[in-house]
Amino acid sequence: MTKPLLIGNWKMNGNLQLNQELLSRLIPKLQQLQKHIDIAVCPPTPYLFQVCDALACTGLMLGAQTVSEYASGAHTGEVSASMLSEFKCRYVLVGHSERRLKYRESSAAVAAKFEAVQSAAMTPVLCVGETLEERAAGETRLIIEQQLQAIIDQVGLAGFEEAIVAYEPVWAIGTGEVAQASQIESVHQSIRAFLSSNAPSKNEDPSQQLPIVYGGSVKSSNAAEIFNLTGVDGGLIGGASLQAGEFIHISESLAETAGSLVSE
Ligand code: 13P
């Protein structure tokens, strides 16, 4: 089994100076935890170069927040997977709910981005999750299965062999409202069950090895409880990843649940 994974999604925040200050506080502390967990940060695209430079030789990893589904050409404003890979991006978020909802990215477009990321030898972090209305209508499972099915339609079930899934209930993102333990465990379990039900044989079932992380209002005060839940392999952190102390505490919580003592 791979190490638990923590990803900080900075969203559209930061500037050269703030990034530098944040990284200089994070790097020495987070480096001590790498024996137990993998850690990545996803800055806004213009700062990839700055963060790539700062993370060089630290073992900490870089991610991007989105990518074009196209390889090159007349796509003004877009950034291709091969460009992200030149900046040593290891992960690329695809299908974040803010992109699905605010920028109308369809599940088919998300699936094409997923494929583009893998084609450039990076790991897609597929974000899935339901809105409050969908949950209230009892459609949580259906919605998430549709989001997963779009990937299977594009690249086949084997696409999940080199991927991360992030369960991010839309209603828990940036709201301070965290999903209940039973809700998180049940969705993570249903993601694995759905993928498993699509596998023609046990050997071709990626579901047990697939890392599934949780995102949505994770903070230092609730991280330990979330990371200890069954089937939770790490976290995708928004707001709290912009505060050095918070992100360090969250990382320490994950390292502790990975079963080891954290050095000071
Ligand atoms: P918050 O941690 O701010 O709720 O954001 C979660 C998220 O969207 C990470 O991708």
Side-chain angles (χ1 to χ4, degrees), residues 9 11 96 98 168 172-174 216-218 236-239:
N9 174 10
K11 307 192 179 183
H96 192 283
E98 286 153 17
E168 296 206 304
I173 294 177
S217 295
V218 178
L236 178 53
I237 318 299

